[in-house]
């Protein structure tokens, strides 16, 4: 027990109040010194790590110079602190406070002078030693910095005719480099040299700087052989890849499970057909843009209510087909995942990708295409040849070419992409200008087919149109149909039945897929699609003018007397879709320029003046590929399937070919876009011009003027003008597989 007098207690309390903060203050000085040194030297260490980059030299050297001054000031402060502590110790030794024996315990407990002085002296010595080392580091850094600074000061915009856009890009960078953080990510710091390094090493608008450290070019070893694709025997892994969290994904997985056995049987049949043919395994990204939150994802909430399911049906079948063919897949339905898989740098999307694109192919939709354009910078233009756009209704060349569509007023929400038109893949073969992707319809066994025939209601019709606007103005046609059949519809509405739908129509609203299929199977008549008219025909499909009441009524009577078996075109089976996608993956190449014979007079990429490899077919008025042409391009479809016909004035090339049992093939336009071809077809031309027009090559016979196509992206099977007769490239096709020629597989 300690006893002290009243005055002693007061003095002890003063010591407690005074000395504790002093100890904390001194310890704080030491901790602050350590933190400051770590921070200051950290600049030197980071400069040493980034010594190969000129973008940080000035900042780091300036920071280190300031650090040296602060270290000196801190050393002075510590020296002054020691002097004051020495004075304090002398004052304490001279006071009468230490004479009281009863107070020695608290004073011994809080005695700071001796040990604290030693600690301060040690810290001061350490600071002094570190300052010397920092000074040595700074001298070396400044020496190197002067060399780099000299180089930075010497950076001038090169005048190289091989890089005509360099000066303009540097000017843009001067004004806008802070507009996107991605430029700083790649090292741009506002100096001329950083602009030129970025524009020569990250982008490709300027020549490389000669003083940049560059590893001597070493011949790259040949790439290892690619893994071979093997048909898969199970779909479980695909269901994992698709993921969870959205009703639309659940719908697609449910469809894949439902058709699993049909996919497996189809894969075995195609494997036998290909007879062990080698197929490289492709790395494929599937980005379903319309399901991302950024695009609104209006589909998922309506899936279970029978909302628009066509797109999800097609995507589910595309996923199943690509997986069964044995390719390596990544599936994304979010923008964040897309950016991660592509290697998008941080920022607003103006810079290229951080590394080469790791995918051979990308399947996406218009939403995904827009997202990639916004976030890939220049890499989008570089890699867009690898993109395949799932486009329900198709995009004709006149709408795809941005300049041409703008000049002609072809306004649309989905055009202007300047892709090869066959990169767009459609649900139906609306136009041969695009590639037909399609989807799968469920195949029925014999028992199921007989059951459908037995349950068919001969007086029931289904009119397919989910939007009320589709029914507007059709009441006369529907009234005639209603005289003979009960009409069913699936028009969507939320609260009030739309007035466009007549009262006699039994409207089911939006139906889930399986219920809609059951409705169709019962019906005798269903309004159909141009595909069915063109490629199926009677007795399954009847084409009538519904504005001609007598013709329409006669067709309805005939249909009611006709018995037909259920029919499914081969191209809408699992095997047909597998076969078609396999052919596209193996043969479609939009990244390699098409092969053409050498030509001394090349007027444009679309118009070549080399001798025509075509010849008149014996006893005919059309041209074919000549066996004596002397060269055979690496083309797909093979040129042996080509036939060149001249259209009638009011016919498109699509119709011209179809009338001869053929299909228009736009990839063949380049072989007949020559002056010589007009002569071979017996067409006399008083003049020949080359222009941008989606109807060319063509001839205006009344004035004997011939026109060649100037822009290859405008080669089109669609469109006509009464004053022109068009040159049309046609080909044969496999029975039940319009997308492929007979030798295309």
């Amino acid at each position: 027990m300690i006893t002290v007098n009243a005055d002693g207690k007061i003095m002890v309390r003063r010591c407690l109040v005074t000395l504790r903060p002093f100890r904390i203050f001194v310890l704080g000085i030491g901790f602050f010194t350590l933190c400051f040194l770590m921070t200051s030297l950290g600049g030197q260490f980071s400069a040493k790590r980034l010594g190969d980059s000129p973008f940080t030299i000035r900042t780091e050297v300036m920071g280190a110079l300031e650090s040296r001054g602060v270290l000196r000031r801190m050393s002075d402060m510590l020296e002054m602190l020691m002097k004051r502590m020495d004075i304090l110790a002398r004052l304490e030794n001279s006071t009468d406070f230490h004479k009281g024996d009863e107070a020695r315990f608290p004073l011994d407990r809080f005695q700071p002078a001796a040990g604290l002085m030693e600690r301060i002296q040690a810290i001061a010595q350490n600071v002094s030693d570190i300052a010397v080392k920092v000074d040595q580091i700074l001298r070396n850094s400044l020496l190197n910095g002067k060399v780099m600074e000299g180089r930075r000061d010497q950076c001038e915009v090169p005048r190289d005719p091989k890089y005509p856009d360099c000066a303009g890009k540097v000017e843009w960078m001067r004004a806008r480099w802070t507009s996107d953080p991605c430029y700083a990510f790649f090292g741009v710091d506002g100096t001329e040299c950083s602009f030129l390094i970025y524009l020569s090493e990250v982008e490709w608008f300027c020549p490389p700087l000669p003083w940049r450290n560059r590893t001597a070019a070493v011949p790259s070893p040949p790439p290892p052989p690619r893994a071979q694709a093997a048909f898969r025997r199970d779909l479980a892994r695909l269901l994992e890849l698709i993921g969870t969290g959205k009703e639309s994904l659940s719908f697609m997985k449910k469809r894949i499970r439902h058709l699993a056995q049909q996919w497996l049987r189809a894969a075995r049949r195609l494997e036998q057909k290909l007879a062990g043919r080698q197929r490289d395994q492709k790395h494929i990204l599937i980005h379903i843009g319309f399901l991302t939150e950024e695009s609104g994802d209006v589909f998922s909430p309506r899936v279970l209510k029978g909302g628009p399911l066509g797109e999800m049906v097609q995507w589910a079948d595309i996923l199943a087909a690509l997986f069964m063919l044995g390719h390596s897949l990544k599936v994304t339905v979010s923008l964040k995942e897309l950016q991660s898989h592509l290697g998008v740098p941080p920022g607003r999307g103006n810079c290229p990708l951080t590394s080469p694109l790791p995918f051979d192919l990308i399947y996406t939709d218009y939403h995904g295409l827009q997202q990639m354009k916004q976030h890939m910078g220049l890499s989008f233009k570089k890699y867009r040849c690898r993109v395949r756009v799932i486009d329900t209704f198709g995009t004709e060349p006149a709408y795809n070419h941005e300049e041409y569509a703008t000049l002609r007023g072809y306004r649309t929400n989905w055009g202007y992409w300047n892709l090869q038109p066959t990169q767009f893949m459609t649900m139906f073969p609306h136009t041969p200008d695009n590639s037909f992707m399609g989807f799968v319809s469920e195949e029925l066994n014999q028992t199921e087919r007989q059951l459908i025939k037995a349950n068919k209601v001969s007086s029931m019709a289904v009119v397919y149109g989910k939007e009320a606007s589709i029914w507007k103005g059709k009441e006369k046609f529907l009234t005639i149909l209603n005289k003979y059949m009960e009409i069913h519809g699936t028009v969507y509405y939320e609260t009030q039945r739309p007035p466009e739908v007549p009262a006699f129509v039994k409207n089911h609203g939006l139906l889930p897929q399986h219920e809609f299929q059951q409705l169709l199977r019962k019906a005798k008549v269903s309004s159909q699609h141009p595909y069915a008219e063109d490629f199926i025909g009677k007795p399954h499909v009847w084409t009538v003018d519904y504005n001609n009441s007598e013709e329409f009524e006669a067709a309805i009577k005939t249909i009611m007397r006709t018995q037909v078996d259920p029919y499914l075109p081969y191209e809408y089976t699992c095997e047909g879709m597998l076969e078609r996608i396999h052919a596209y993956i193996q043969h479609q190449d939009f990244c390699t320029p098409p092969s053409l014979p050498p030509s001394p007079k090349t007027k444009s990429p679309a118009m070549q003046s080399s001798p025509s490899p075509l010849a008149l077919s014996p006893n005919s008025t059309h041209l074919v590929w000549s066996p004596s042409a002397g060269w055979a391009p690496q083309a797909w479809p093979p040129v042996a399937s080509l036939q060149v016909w001249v259209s009638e004035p009011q016919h498109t090339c699509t119709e011209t070919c179809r009338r001869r049992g053929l299909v228009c093939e736009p990839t063949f336009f380049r072989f007949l876009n020559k002056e010589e071809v007009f002569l071979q077809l017996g067409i006399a031309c008083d003049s020949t011009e080359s222009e941008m027009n989606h109807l060319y090559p063509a001839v205006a016979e009344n004035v004997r003027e011939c026109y060649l196509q100037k822009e290859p992206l405008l080669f089109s099977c669609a469109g006509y003008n009464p004053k022109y007769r068009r040159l049309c490239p046609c080909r044969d096709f496999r029975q039940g597989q319009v997308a492929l020629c007979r030798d295309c597989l």
Side-chain angles (χ1 to χ4, degrees), residues 348 598 624:
R348 299 188 178 93
V624 296

Side-chain angles (χ1 to χ4, degrees), residues 396-408:
E396 294 177 355
Y399 294 88
N400 170 60
H401 193 281
E402 183 176 16
E403 179 186 357
Y404 183 76
T406 303
L407 290 173
R408 297 298 183 99

